[in-house]
Amino acid sequence: MDLTSVEGIIEGIIYKNEANGYTVCEIASGRKLITAVGYMPFINEGETIKANGRWVRHPDYGDQFKVELYEKVLPHTAEAIEKYLASGIVKGVGPVTAKKIVDRFGASALDVISNEPERLSEIKGISLAKAMDIGRALNEQRGLQDVVMFLQEYGISPSACVKIHRAYGDRSVAMIRENPYRLCEDVFGIGFKTADMIAMKLGVDPASLFRIKSGIRYVLSHAASNGHTYLPESMLKQFTARLLGIPDIDIEDALVSLIFDKAVQTEKTAEDSNVYLSAFYNAELGVCRRLLGLARTSFGRDFEDLDEKIEKYEKEEGLQLDLKQRDAVREAMLNGVMVITGGPGTGKTTIIKCILRLLAEYGHRAALAAPTGRAAKRMTEATGYEAKTIHRLLEMGYTDDDSEPAFQRNEENPIDADTVIIDEMSMVDILLMNHLLKAILPGARLILAGDADQLPSVGAGSVLLDIISCSGIRTVRLTEIFRQAEESMIIVNAHRINRGEAPVLNAKDKDFFFLSRYGQENILRTVIDLCDRRLPDTYGLDPLKDIQVLSPTKKGPAGVVNLNIELQKVLNPPDRKKAEKAAKIYTLREGDRVMQIKNNYSLRWEKPGDARIDGTGVFNGDMGTVADIDDDEMAVTVLFDDDRMVVYDYSILDELEPSFAVTVHKSQGSEFPVVVMPIFPGPEVLMTRNLLYTAVTRAREMVVLVGDEEVLLRMVGNKRETLRYSGLADKLKTFTAYADIK
């Protein structure tokens, strides 16, 4: 059956799925009122559309027009234009302003807004600035319409269309036609398969050099998102061939071309070649050179009375450093680079406090930082000295590109400090470490503190472990648990788990509990009851502020996705007073706990108050609460735990996820009063000792494990660590050996 065309004004929208754009609406076409159904993202009441489709008969609702393709048509009459503008489709224009504009300009109103927006300021109540904003908003709508029309046949979501238009502007369609593969690199939420499908429909040759190069870059980018700074060449070819459906022999020319373009770098090894995206190769090289450069500095002559100063500190504080702690303090003061590693309760904070006091006595300026806002806040509370996030220490500035940071502190403008101390180093990835080292003055002191037995960073690299394993950087590993810490079963059990010993469960009057349950559904019900009723009633806890559920996996009844859906039902149920917004998987609601799931370097924030502070950058793992959802402004406001207020446009809501429950990996660097963790069978590669250890060490006051004790014991015994391809350790060893020979 041939397609039929219908044109008319949208009188009303009966139903709209915000996630995928499926819509049921009524179209006034002449004297007829037509019910239209289909995927029609971004249509609004008052707009005129031309739709192609077929008539179908619904058993309950009668004749309907099933839309296959549609396009928006700008209205022509003054009456239709006023209705269009009054619908709110153009930001900054409501019914009153729409009437004023049409009364003044009649049927020419849209041409004036688009081509001569300054003329709107002739109308009382519209300033020149507002007039220009209205003009921009209308033209953005037209540009977005072109993108939507072009991409609708490819099944691209409405929110993705907005992000594409925001990234490329009026050249969106031209740029996609020129290189559809750029979408998976530039637009969060669009994967290689979607970009490849568009490319195939645009006629790109499946065996073209262009496609294969794009596939190689995607495989390396995907590997980086899983923590690898490189892939062995044989593995890269295998993954690329599987992705593209071509023989791996066809990949060689594309790889050579990428090397020639300097998009990738290779490094020969005895067995294979390691292939890097250039950014990660350059970062490893930069970290290696700068770290070893700092390590060559010695401060021995400056601190001849160091031991006396340490003894004085001990007397004043009424404490006694053990041999390893004293050694750590001395090494940190005397060497250019020092690593302090150890588990909870082993005295890392005590050492840092002593070092800070000594530095102050010798007149040295220290800067303290940690990877996350929560970790920096904890560092400030523990030491009494201000600590910043690493991004804030480096003074991250505004950038139009949300994929790359722009730091004000660098080689030309270094950090104003003689000593830089970084805590929670296990979370620092190779790119951030490179930026940090660029900003440290040559000859300054760098002290790195962290727990090497925790999970590695979310970002690419294995920086702390690589530095420790290279043997070229002074390292002190703390193992003794101090008397005060021994009173906590959280700390005792964390060390038992780390040694491969079974934790002590349900010791009387302690802080570590295990509830035996079998089957994920039973575990799920118990976790929900603990968060909703038992823990709040027994201990007076606020379930949204004091309790954090950590799960090993995303999938399954007791995985993060389902836990968030079920926990939201009891901890923040629907309420007429609370606005909400449907997203792809979840419905966000005012009062929800949420987490940022990607680095967005351009997202602006502010800290309200008498002395307002603002800046840019929200990072993977940052947690907060939904403070406001505004449909008129199409925005969600989130108040993060460090008091930053961030406004999210609806188009980037896929950067937020509920965080009533989060994965253990996402919890790194955070500390919570109470941790509740389901324990159930899962993939061996995931259910590991260091994942359990990391989860347990996130709790400050109480741990409650719920599930199968046999699974718990298997996790304790599973020392398997996920392989990360990282070349920093080898580079450090090679450079150190070369320096020794010279």
Side-chain angles (χ1 to χ4, degrees):
M1 185 187 294
D2 293 335
L3 293 180
T4 303
S5 180
V6 167
E7 184 173 331
I9 299 173
I10 298 169
E11 287 291 312
I13 293 176
I14 300 166
Y15 169 79
K16 180 186 282 188
N17 184 321
E18 296 288 353
N20 61 19
Y22 184 81
T23 304
V24 180
C25 64
E26 291 182 327
I27 300 174
S29 181
R31 295 184 179 180
K32 292 182 182 177
L33 194 62
I34 297 167
T35 299
V37 300
Y39 293 94
M40 294 175 280
F42 303 120
I43 64 166
N44 296 273
E45 291 182 13
E47 289 186 308
T48 301
I49 69 167
K50 181 178 181 181
N52 294 324
R54 297 179 176 84
W55 287 98
V56 296
R57 186 164 189 80
H58 192 280
D60 296 323
Y61 304 116
D63 290 338
Q64 295 181 335
F65 189 73
K66 186 176 181 181
V67 177
E68 301 285 343
L69 295 170
Y70 80 98
E71 63 179 317
K72 294 182 182 182
V73 179
L74 289 176
H76 307 297
T77 67
E79 182 184 1
I81 289 170
E82 182 179 339
K83 197 167 187 177
Y84 170 73
L85 292 174
S87 70
I89 186 66
V90 178
K91 200 171 183 179
V93 179
V96 175
T97 305
K99 187 174 189 315
K100 287 181 180 179
I101 292 172
V102 173
D103 285 349
R104 178 74 176 80
F105 298 110
S108 302
L110 292 180
D111 286 335
V112 170
I113 295 172
S114 184
N115 301 313
E116 302 174 274
E118 66 279 1
R119 290 188 60 195
L120 296 178
S121 62
E122 299 170 12
I123 299 169
K124 187 177 180 181
I126 299 180
S127 66
L128 180 59
K130 184 176 180 181
M132 301 308 290
D133 286 342
I134 291 170
R136 272 192 296 271
L138 178 65
N139 289 327
E140 278 181 12
Q141 279 296 326
R142 289 180 172 178
L144 177 58
Q145 177 182 327
D146 292 339
V147 178
V148 172
M149 294 304 105
F150 174 65
L151 291 174
Q152 64 178 310
E153 67 177 289
Y154 305 115
I156 305 299
S157 71
S159 60
C161 288
V162 173
K163 285 195 281 190
I164 290 167
H165 183 256
R166 185 166 289 151
Y168 305 140
D170 292 339
R171 295 196 61 234
S172 295
V173 173
M175 291 178 78
I176 294 167
R177 286 187 182 278
E178 178 187 317
N179 178 9
Y181 294 105
R182 70 187 308 148
L183 288 171
C184 59
E185 296 179 17
D186 298 343
V187 183
F188 179 69
I190 295 186
F192 180 85
K193 290 183 179 177
T194 300
D196 196 41
M197 177 263 292
I198 294 171
M200 294 298 97
K201 290 191 175 183
L202 289 173
V204 173
D205 182 353
S208 69
L209 190 68
F210 177 68
R211 179 175 184 250
I212 299 171
K213 285 168 68 174
S214 298
I216 291 171
R217 291 176 65 124
Y218 171 76
V219 169
L220 288 172
S221 296
H222 184 68
S225 70
N226 286 316
H228 308 293
T229 60
Y230 71 85
L231 285 178
E233 185 176 331
S234 57
M235 186 179 291
L236 171 64
K237 288 179 176 178
Q238 178 187 339
F239 288 165
T240 306
R242 190 184 305 159
L243 175 75
L244 301 179
I246 60 173
D248 62 7
I249 196 169
D250 293 345
I251 297 167
E252 185 65 37
D253 288 347
L255 186 55
V256 170
S257 178
L258 285 169
I259 294 168
F260 184 77
D261 295 342
K262 296 187 178 177
V264 304
Q265 301 275 355
T266 61
E267 195 172 63
K268 291 287 183 185
T269 66
E271 304 84 23
D272 205 340
S273 286
N274 300 333
V275 185
Y276 291 79
L277 287 171
S278 289
F280 295 101
Y281 179 80
N282 293 332
E284 280 192 355
L285 215 54
V287 168
C288 179
R289 287 172 173 162
R290 293 185 179 93
L291 196 64
L292 292 177
L294 290 172
R296 282 196 288 270
T297 303
S298 174
F299 299 94
R301 294 179 181 177
D302 301 336
F303 306 117
E304 291 178 356
D305 59 346
L306 182 58
D307 288 330
E308 289 87 343
K309 287 258 194 315
I310 293 173
E311 287 173 12
K312 179 186 172 189
Y313 172 80
E314 289 176 319
K315 286 176 184 176
E316 289 176 353
E317 294 297 315
L319 57 82
Q320 180 75 46
L321 298 176
D322 75 358
L323 290 175
K324 275 200 173 179
Q325 287 182 310
R326 182 179 282 264
D327 185 39
V329 171
R330 284 183 52 80
E331 292 290 322
M333 294 296 293
L334 298 175
N335 289 284
V337 180
M338 171 69 188
V339 176
I340 304 167
T341 185
T346 56
K348 294 192 297 295
T349 301
T350 300
I351 292 167
I352 291 172
K353 287 171 73 175
C354 180
I355 291 167
L356 287 167
R357 176 77 68 82
L358 294 171
L359 288 169
E361 287 200 22
Y362 285 111
H364 287 233
R365 300 181 313 280
L368 281 67
T372 67
R374 278 174 172 259
K377 186 177 180 181
R378 220 168 55 241
M379 195 180 187
T380 300
E381 292 167 352
T383 64
Y385 289 77
E386 184 194 8
K388 302 176 179 179
T389 63
I390 297 174
H391 288 88
R392 191 171 155 222
L393 178 68
L394 297 177
E395 297 178 15
M396 197 181 73
Y398 179 75
T399 169
D400 290 328
D401 181 0
D402 68 2
S403 65
E404 287 293 333
F407 294 118
Q408 307 306 308
R409 294 289 181 178
N410 48 39
E411 300 99 322
E412 285 76 37
N413 182 31
I415 298 163
D416 184 22
D418 307 304
T419 300
V420 175
I421 303 175
I422 306 296
D423 198 12
E424 293 285 358
M425 260 302 298
S426 62
M427 292 185 65
V428 178
D429 62 50
I430 192 67
L431 295 180
L432 185 57
M433 188 65 176
N434 190 38
H435 285 294
L436 173 67
L437 290 172
K438 284 180 184 179
I440 295 177
L441 278 164
R445 179 190 289 102
L446 176 63
I447 300 169
L448 308 173
D451 187 345
D453 294 314
Q454 286 185 26
L455 292 169
S457 58
V458 174
S462 188
V463 176
L464 180 60
L465 277 175
D466 283 354
I467 291 172
I468 292 170
S469 68
C470 81
S471 305
I473 303 295
R474 298 295 178 99
T475 301
V476 172
R477 183 181 285 272
L478 305 170
T479 55
E480 184 180 342
I481 309 174
F482 288 90
R483 191 177 301 123
Q484 309 94 300
E486 283 181 339
E487 296 173 8
S488 166
M489 290 309 298
I490 295 173
I491 291 175
V492 170
N493 279 336
H495 286 271
R496 289 181 67 87
I497 290 165
N498 204 28
R499 293 193 300 266
E501 300 169 10
V504 177
L505 304 176
N506 301 324
K508 189 177 179 182
D509 299 327
K510 292 295 183 179
D511 52 12
F512 197 102
F513 302 99
F514 182 85
L515 302 180
S516 181
R517 298 289 187 275
Y518 297 97
Q520 286 199 49
E521 292 291 349
N522 284 335
I523 294 170
L524 171 67
R525 284 195 294 271
T526 302
V527 168
I528 291 170
D529 189 41
L530 282 165
C531 297
D532 180 43
R533 186 183 63 83
R534 290 173 64 176
L535 291 173
D537 290 354
T538 305
Y539 298 98
L541 299 170
D542 182 334
L544 293 178
K545 292 181 180 177
D546 300 327
I547 303 170
Q548 183 62 57
V549 178
L550 304 181
S551 180
T553 68
K554 286 189 173 184
K555 298 178 181 178
V560 163
V561 174
N562 191 55
L563 274 166
N564 273 314
I565 292 168
E566 297 301 323
L567 285 166
Q568 184 194 47
K569 290 177 184 177
V570 297
L571 301 182
N572 192 31
D575 186 323
R576 281 184 299 175
K577 296 177 182 177
K578 293 181 178 180
E580 54 185 50
K581 174 75 175 76
K584 187 177 285 187
I585 300 174
Y586 305 102
T587 294
L588 289 180
R589 185 172 297 129
E590 289 174 350
D592 277 351
R593 291 289 296 163
V594 290
M595 174 183 277
Q596 174 79 9
I597 62 167
K598 73 173 288 261
N599 289 337
N600 187 324
Y601 299 105
S602 65
L603 203 51
R604 300 194 69 81
W605 55 263
E606 66 175 53
K607 286 189 177 183
D610 295 336
R612 192 174 72 92
I613 304 170
D614 59 17
T616 58
V618 185
F619 306 108
N620 193 349
D622 287 353
M623 296 174 71
T625 302
V626 176
D628 181 67
I629 297 176
D630 189 332
D631 269 336
D632 292 334
E633 292 295 322
M634 293 187 288
V636 172
T637 302
V638 176
L639 178 63
F640 282 94
D641 292 343
D642 57 1
D643 299 326
R644 288 176 302 158
M645 190 81 80
V646 179
V647 178
Y648 287 78
D649 186 270
Y650 277 0
S651 67
I652 59 170
L653 287 186
D654 55 354
E655 295 185 13
L656 284 176
E657 285 185 358
S659 64
F660 301 102
V662 300
T663 61
V664 178
H665 284 81
K666 290 285 189 182
S667 73
Q668 288 172 265
S670 296
E671 188 178 72
F672 313 99
V674 178
V675 164
V676 176
M677 182 180 181
I679 304 290
F680 52 89
E684 186 181 343
V685 68
L686 201 59
M687 310 299 285
T688 61
R689 181 187 300 175
N690 70 337
L691 181 134
L692 179 62
Y693 172 77
T694 301
V696 167
T697 55
R698 298 307 88 206
R700 188 166 64 245
E701 298 169 14
M702 186 188 304
V703 169
V704 185
L705 305 179
V706 182
D708 188 332
E709 189 170 348
E710 282 190 22
V711 175
L712 175 66
L713 296 177
R714 283 202 299 272
M715 290 181 75
V716 173
N718 182 8
K719 200 173 186 306
R720 176 174 181 169
E721 293 179 11
T722 305
L723 173 65
R724 279 205 170 193
Y725 291 111
S726 169
L728 178 61
D730 287 338
K731 287 183 177 65
L732 286 167
K733 289 172 186 173
T734 301
F735 274 65
T736 303
Y738 178 71
D740 290 343
I741 291 168
K742 287 184 71 178

